[in-house]
Amino acid sequence: MDLIVIAALCVAAASVIGGATGFGTSLIATPLMLTAGIGLAETVVVNLVVALITRVGVTVQLREHIDWRRVAVLGAASVPGAWLGVQTVTLLPDHHLKPAAGAIGGYFSTTTSLNGPPVVLLLGRAKIPPMSFIADLAGYFVITSIVSLALLWSGTGIDLPGLWPLLAACVVAGVAANQLGIAIARRLPTHLFRSAVIVLVVIAGLLTIVTA
């Protein structure tokens, strides 16, 4: 099967989960795409672009639920980490990055979720309503995706325009599946939503460890 189709299917499956819980799309899609043979750099870019576009949509849809001050603080705090990540990608070869990502990802996936480092844990402990949880995460991911893509484009040799066919297919799949996930989230009772978040963090951590 063509890698573009495989990537789109991986993103679609992950986006349903990400839409329903507010996070986890990249965390689920990354090990699936790497296992399917898609390159690490391509996987990172696809995840960031899909996250940016889908989270912009969620931010608009759920804007009345967003705590803008909290999103601004979390987003600004992510910039130094994003810059450090670009330096790491530039300096370390791919075969060193994969095991490092597996080891670090396994730890953070089961404690705070790799897809939003301490943010998921922070919002989860705050016991905020599901729609506010999803909305705040969406705003945060918009900021981090823009910053990360800008830094990757300017600080590495990744050819973003050359990835257009892959990006287009994954964005279409991600947006459609994400809307399905949001529809599911709107119908989930709060206690089930919080349980789903915990289960997702554990499953994503196991996936990251197994596929490293």
Side-chain angles (χ1 to χ4, degrees):
M1 189 183 296
D2 187 273
L3 280 181
I4 291 180
V5 176
I6 294 175
L9 291 174
C10 292
V11 169
S15 293
V16 173
I17 299 171
T21 61
F23 77 105
T25 301
S26 298
L27 201 54
I28 297 295
T30 295
L32 294 178
M33 293 172 73
L34 292 177
T35 300
I38 298 165
L40 181 60
E42 290 81 1
T43 296
V44 169
V45 172
V46 164
N47 284 334
L48 288 172
V49 171
V50 171
L52 173 59
I53 293 175
T54 57
R55 295 305 101 180
V56 166
V58 173
T59 300
V60 173
Q61 283 181 266
L62 304 181
R63 58 189 178 278
E64 70 274 14
H65 298 283
I66 293 179
D67 183 328
W68 293 105
R69 183 178 180 278
R70 179 162 52 205
V71 169
V73 171
L74 292 171
S78 73
V79 175
W83 177 85
L84 182 60
V86 169
Q87 307 313 308
T88 302
V89 169
T90 302
L91 295 174
L92 290 181
D94 191 70
H95 63 279
H96 288 320
L97 279 174
K98 285 184 178 179
I104 297 171
Y107 173 76
F108 282 104
S109 294
T110 52
T111 54
T112 63
S113 168
L114 187 61
N115 200 33
V119 179
V120 169
L121 182 60
L122 174 67
L123 297 182
R125 285 183 173 177
K127 303 293 184 183
I128 62 177
M131 289 299 102
S132 295
F133 182 96
I134 293 173
D136 282 3
L137 278 178
Y140 169 75
F141 289 137
V142 168
I143 296 172
T144 56
S145 296
I146 291 174
V147 171
S148 298
L149 283 168
L151 289 171
L152 283 170
W153 198 354
S154 62
T156 69
I158 295 177
D159 179 19
L160 291 180
L163 293 176
W164 171 244
L166 177 64
L167 290 174
C170 289
V171 165
V172 171
V175 168
N178 186 72
Q179 289 303 305
L180 174 59
I182 293 175
I184 294 172
R186 290 185 184 276
R187 291 166 172 76
L188 281 179
T190 299
H191 69 283
L192 286 181
F193 175 84
R194 289 175 178 157
S195 297
V197 168
I198 295 172
V199 170
L200 175 58
V201 170
V202 174
I203 291 175
L206 292 175
L207 277 174
T208 306
I209 294 170
V210 170
T211 58

